[in-house]
């Protein structure tokens, strides 16, 4: 029996246990364990090296793709268990895997989704994640989306009563909107 088959059998047994869960707390514990197991599995996959020729390059791409899939699945499990910080952390790791694969807009979307989860637990991490998304959207020339994200950052600072930071980010959002010829929306941000 190979290592992969043994791992798959163990995973199948773990998933069969999920069908026997009766209480909500059992399900929450199951999803948290499943999320942790998937993150560990993705980390192990990434730690295994690939060296060599073109076949190794393809293997590296597939390794990042598999790791991204596992991180995303772990995010779903963590979110189901109410562990929003761990779910957002998994999305950030998934976004990094997308960046390795040169899938920039997918990574920006994941950073945005992580920011929404971080907004429930940590505003600082939320802003950091949004800034990563803004950077990617600007590089891709998606200035109207970057403006919306910049406006979210400004709103976070406004709610926290950081007036100067809020004004700075509203002005940045207005500049992004002006570059896309969205003058009415830009004027709204400047107000």
């Amino acid at each position: 029996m190979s290592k992969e088959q043994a791992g798959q059998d163990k995973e199948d047994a773990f998933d069969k246990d999920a069908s026997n869960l009766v209480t909500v707390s059992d399900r929450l514990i199951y999803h948290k364990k499943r999320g942790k197991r998937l993150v560990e599995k993705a980390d192990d996959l990434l730690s295994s090296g690939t060296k060599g020729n073109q076949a190794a390059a393809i293997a590296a791409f597939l390794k990042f793709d598999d790791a991204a899939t596992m991180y995303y699945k772990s995010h779903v499990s963590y979110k189901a268990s109410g562990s929003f910080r761990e779910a957002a952390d998994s999305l950030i790791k998934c976004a990094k895997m997308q960046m390795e694969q040169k899938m920039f807009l997918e990574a920006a979307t994941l950073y945005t989704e992580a920011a929404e989860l971080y907004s429930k637990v940590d505003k600082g991490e939320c802003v950091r994640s949004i800034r990563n998304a803004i950077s990617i959207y600007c590089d891709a020339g998606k200035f109207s989306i970057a403006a919306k994200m910049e406006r979210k950052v400004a709103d976070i600072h406004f709610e926290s009563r950081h007036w100067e930071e809020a004004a700075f980010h509203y002005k940045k959002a207005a500049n992004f909107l002006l570059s896309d010829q969205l003058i009415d929306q830009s004027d709204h941000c400047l107000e």
Side-chain angles (χ1 to χ4, degrees):
M1 180 183 276
S2 71
K3 271 184 157 179
E4 289 178 16
Q5 188 175 5
Q8 186 64 37
D9 291 342
K10 187 176 178 181
E11 197 170 305
D12 290 341
F14 192 79
D15 288 335
K16 284 180 186 175
D17 291 341
S19 63
N20 297 329
L21 299 176
V22 179
T23 65
V24 172
S25 60
D26 288 342
R27 288 185 183 149
L28 293 176
I29 292 168
Y30 164 78
H31 282 293
K32 192 162 190 169
K33 285 181 181 178
R34 182 175 184 261
K36 185 176 180 181
R37 188 176 47 82
L38 284 167
V39 167
E40 289 171 354
K41 193 173 176 183
D43 290 341
D44 288 343
L45 179 66
L46 290 173
S47 65
S48 66
T50 55
K51 297 178 183 175
N53 55 8
Q54 185 178 7
I58 293 170
F61 178 85
L62 292 175
K63 177 172 78 168
F64 289 128
D65 189 51
D66 289 344
T69 302
M70 287 179 213
Y71 284 133
Y72 194 82
K73 286 180 180 179
S74 72
H75 139 263
V76 171
S77 288
Y78 279 134
K79 196 170 155 183
S81 72
S83 303
F84 297 117
R85 179 176 295 282
E86 290 85 356
D89 290 342
S90 292
L91 280 177
I92 295 294
K93 290 178 181 180
C94 185
K96 289 178 182 176
M97 295 301 102
Q98 298 294 350
M99 294 290 285
E100 288 287 333
Q101 297 176 36
K102 309 286 189 251
M103 300 173 75
F104 300 113
L105 293 178
E106 288 83 355
T109 303
L110 291 170
Y111 278 121
T112 304
E113 196 173 336
E116 291 175 18
L117 290 170
Y118 276 133
S119 70
K120 298 176 183 189
V121 291
D122 187 355
K123 299 294 183 187
E125 287 294 325
C126 174
V127 169
R128 190 173 299 120
S129 185
I130 290 173
R131 285 183 180 163
N132 287 335
I134 289 170
S135 173
I136 295 169
Y137 284 129
C138 287
D139 290 344
K142 306 282 186 184
F143 295 111
S144 61
I145 298 172
K148 289 178 186 176
M149 303 302 293
E150 210 45 80
R151 195 178 308 160
K152 281 184 184 181
V153 172
D155 290 341
I156 290 169
H157 286 298
F158 187 81
E159 289 171 6
S160 300
R161 298 178 184 237
H162 299 138
W163 311 120
E164 291 177 11
E165 285 288 321
F168 173 74
H169 289 288
Y170 280 126
K171 185 170 173 101
K172 279 180 74 174
N175 290 338
F176 285 141
L177 290 166
L178 273 177
S179 67
D180 265 0
Q181 305 297 323
L182 299 170
I183 298 168
D184 293 340
Q185 291 179 22
S186 175
D187 289 343
H188 178 69
C189 283
L190 288 175
E191 287 177 14

